[in-house]
Amino acid sequence: MIEKIKQKIKTIPGMDILLEQEWTKNAQAELGRDTVKRIFNEELAKLRHLILSGSDVDVSLDSLKLTLEVVLREQVRPRLRPMLNATGVVIHTNLGRSQLSKPAIEAVTSVASSYSNLEYNLKEGVRGHRNEHIETSLCAVTGAEASLVVNNNAGAVLLCLSALSRGSEVVLSRGELVEIGGSFRIPDIMEFSGAKLVEVGTTNRTHLKDYARAIGENTSMLLKVHPSNFRMTGFTTSPSRADIASLAHERGLIFMEDAGSGLLVEGSELGLSGETDIAESLRSGVDIITFSGDKMLGGPQIGVIAGKKAIVDSLRGRPVLRALRVDKMTLAAFEATIRLYMKKSYDEIPTLAMLRRTDESMKAQAARLAAKLRKVSGGANVAVIRVDDAVGGGSCPEQPLRGWGVAVSGHPLGSAGHLASILRAHSTPILCGARDEALVLHVRTLRVEDEREIVRAFGEI
Ligand SMILES: *Cc1c(COP(=O)(O)O)cnc(C)c1O
């Protein structure tokens, strides 16, 4: 028995033979010979293990080719790759949140492929600061006196709390003591920053007098946090920004807001209600506000701190700022995005354009896609249906967006779940929604050019 096993292991083709095969050449060119060797070593070890445990495996070169080719193909493909979002969730955190606009992509390409004045003041011929390139335009679109950018909004909140309130008390309503997801929990961030959280009010109701009563000698800040993916309805109340601001300023405190999503236009421009835009928050007396660049703003991942000049200036020299600093590609994309806001070219920003899509355009796209899919779906039932889309990214959770979609059911290949898993495995993976027994493609988040890829995927099925 042992002899037989030893004999079989000996017949496994050697590394030299494998590496000479024509079907390994592309992988060797793409990944390098050493990586391919390492992959084969791992696969051959598994094979030997199987043989030793008594399995009857085929170790011929032809049989090895079948398995190893699949492994190599998977490795040659980039791990991070584009996919199609047919979920109707516009700011889908798992799918990379916002797509960049064309001008933003062009700006990234030109700055990334050349030297730039990232930290150089061309007028005076001396060292400059990377933040200077966007401060003026950010102030123009938000109405803030000064601004600063860091790696993301979590970093912005952390920087502000640790710089402005380390060792002192920050007052926050219990109704805003939230977890945003991805382990960003307000109490934890507060603890990490060294600020002391003082909770006031109740989950559903907090009054101005609750804030007033909590202010003590060691209080430095009143904080407001956007509850993001969470909404309370019914018997609820919280004081207005203007009231909290008056109280803070009477007592010599800072009023800070973590706005989460960076809404730079009035909500009505996007057909949304109940969201306060950044300029409005600042106008109502917020001293310093932080928000993300890649949520409702529709730009790259970045965190903005905007507000009173004296406060923003006090953050500039902090060592932690260096650890949170923004890359040149991000700055380029962000500047280009902000310029689109200055021009009010909202429909050039994909996130805003998807939120602003008209009923007719989505209905027409759903009808077009359905007609194409009927031809390649093996007699499945393909229907145009009304769907509920979502803003995502923690904005307007209670406010579904009315959209249109294509429902596919009764596919000869099997259930909607099975179909969904096949579409996820497509060369450009496609993520769909589902309803009852049907697979649903929401068209709000699909570009016209995505339709061809979807039709191809259904054709290959
Ligand atoms: C999303 C969000 C954050 C985290 O922002 P990132 O840019 O993802 O770091 C923080 N606070 C609120 C209220 C948010 O909605």
Side-chain angles (χ1 to χ4, degrees):
M1 186 66 186
I2 295 196
E3 268 315 303
K4 230 172 126 187
I5 286 176
K6 274 189 183 160
Q7 209 49 46
K8 181 140 194 180
I9 286 179
K10 269 195 194 140
T11 59
I12 299 176
M15 186 63 76
D16 289 348
I17 294 178
L18 288 175
L19 290 174
E20 269 165 22
Q21 301 302 309
E22 203 47 44
W23 51 267
T24 71
K25 296 295 184 208
N26 178 46
Q28 289 191 56
E30 293 296 323
L31 303 170
R33 187 181 159 92
D34 289 346
T35 306
V36 174
K37 231 167 126 172
R38 187 174 50 73
I39 295 167
F40 283 173
N41 270 327
E42 279 170 25
E43 293 301 317
L44 295 180
K46 282 187 216 161
L47 203 64
R48 280 192 294 272
H49 187 79
L50 278 175
I51 296 171
L52 286 170
S53 62
S55 304
D56 182 26
V57 274
D58 184 351
V59 296
S60 68
L61 198 53
D62 281 347
S63 158
L64 282 185
K65 176 178 181 233
L66 286 179
T67 31
L68 294 180
E69 239 181 346
V70 174
V71 174
L72 289 182
R73 206 177 312 131
E74 191 55 40
Q75 296 274 343
V76 165
R77 270 206 301 212
R79 291 291 292 262
L80 177 61
R81 52 189 207 262
M83 64 181 276
L84 303 190
N85 175 7
T87 65
V89 179
V90 177
I91 307 163
H92 200 306
T93 294
N94 301 146
L95 306 190
R97 291 191 181 160
S98 288
Q99 292 172 27
L100 292 182
S101 63
K102 288 209 170 67
I105 293 162
E106 281 160 18
V108 171
T109 312
S110 86
V111 159
S113 55
S114 158
Y115 287 114
S116 66
N117 61 338
L118 179 65
E119 289 191 348
Y120 194 78
N121 181 329
L122 287 168
K123 209 148 118 204
E124 300 178 12
V126 294
R127 186 175 192 278
H129 196 284
R130 60 181 67 210
N131 192 64
E132 280 161 8
H133 305 296
I134 43 152
E135 181 158 11
T136 316
S137 38
L138 251 179
C139 290
V141 295
T142 59
E145 292 173 8
S147 70
L148 200 57
V149 286
V150 294
N151 182 60
N152 60 356
N153 185 35
V157 174
L158 186 62
L159 171 64
C160 290
L161 289 176
S162 72
L164 305 172
S165 295
R166 175 181 297 274
S168 63
E169 291 174 358
V170 173
V171 180
L172 177 72
S173 161
R174 290 198 168 88
E176 296 171 4
L177 207 53
V178 292
E179 172 177 322
I180 311 299
S183 74
F184 183 89
R185 310 176 90 196
I186 294 298
D188 298 346
I189 290 285
M190 198 79 87
E191 192 183 325
F192 189 66
S193 74
K196 187 169 180 299
L197 172 65
V198 176
E199 305 171 20
V200 294
T202 60
T203 305
N204 56 331
R205 293 175 73 85
T206 302
H207 305 274
L208 193 64
K209 61 175 190 285
D210 295 325
Y211 286 91
R213 223 180 283 135
I215 297 172
E217 245 170 40
N218 197 24
T219 308
S220 59
M221 178 188 284
L222 305 186
L223 176 65
K224 185 169 181 60
V225 175
H226 191 291
S228 286
N229 41 13
F230 162 81
R231 240 354 142 262
M232 268 187 313
T233 52
F235 189 54
T236 63
T237 188
S238 59
S240 71
R241 285 180 182 78
D243 286 345
I244 302 176
S246 303
L247 175 64
H249 299 151
E250 243 166 57
R251 306 286 189 96
L253 307 174
I254 294 172
F255 178 25
M256 168 171 153
E257 176 171 356
D258 170 10
S261 222
L263 184 60
L264 294 188
V265 295
E266 283 177 26
S268 58
E269 287 274 3
L270 309 178
L272 303 171
S273 60
E275 290 286 332
T276 308
D277 63 82
I278 301 299
E280 191 186 338
S281 279
L282 289 171
R283 272 198 305 274
S284 27
V286 172
D287 297 311
I288 191 142
I289 194 163
T290 73
F291 53 94
S292 291
D294 55 352
K295 291 185 180 170
M296 209 97 95
L297 195 151
Q301 177 192 301
I302 206 167
V304 178
I305 301 168
K308 297 262 164 67
K309 185 167 187 320
I311 301 176
V312 174
D313 284 348
S314 77
L315 303 173
R316 293 192 201 270
R318 306 275 166 170
V320 63
L321 198 56
R322 176 63 176 77
L324 295 172
R325 89 174 180 189
V326 175
D327 175 65
K328 61 177 180 282
M329 292 186 280
T330 309
L331 279 173
F334 193 59
E335 184 188 7
T337 310
I338 295 298
R339 279 173 187 273
L340 293 175
Y341 278 98
M342 295 169 81
K343 291 198 286 182
K344 299 194 192 307
S345 298
Y346 305 137
D347 284 328
E348 282 194 63
I349 302 171
T351 297
L352 298 201
M354 286 178 199
L355 292 172
R356 283 156 60 93
R357 281 193 71 171
T358 63
D359 204 64
E360 304 88 82
S361 104
M362 288 185 286
K363 192 175 179 185
Q365 189 181 10
R368 193 170 62 224
L369 183 59
K372 291 182 197 166
L373 287 184
R374 273 188 202 106
K375 295 189 190 137
V376 289
S377 294
N381 183 20
V382 179
V384 172
I385 60 165
R386 267 256 171 239
V387 292
D388 281 341
D389 298 329
V391 180
S395 304
C396 311
E398 86 287 19
Q399 210 179 118
L401 302 172
R402 300 291 279 155
W404 288 92
V406 178
V408 180
S409 58
H411 196 280
L413 220 70
S415 71
H418 184 55
L419 212 54
S421 74
I422 294 175
L423 291 172
R424 284 201 308 275
H426 184 61
S427 53
T428 303
I430 304 166
L431 191 65
C432 304
R435 182 196 291 174
D436 304 323
E437 296 299 295
L439 183 87
V440 180
L441 295 128
H442 298 239
V443 300
R444 179 186 297 276
T445 43
L446 292 175
R447 298 163 297 190
V448 174
E449 64 263 34
D450 294 340
E451 292 170 28
R452 200 177 334 122
E453 196 59 39
I454 292 171
V455 172
R456 207 163 69 86
F458 272 83
E460 283 173 17
I461 290 175

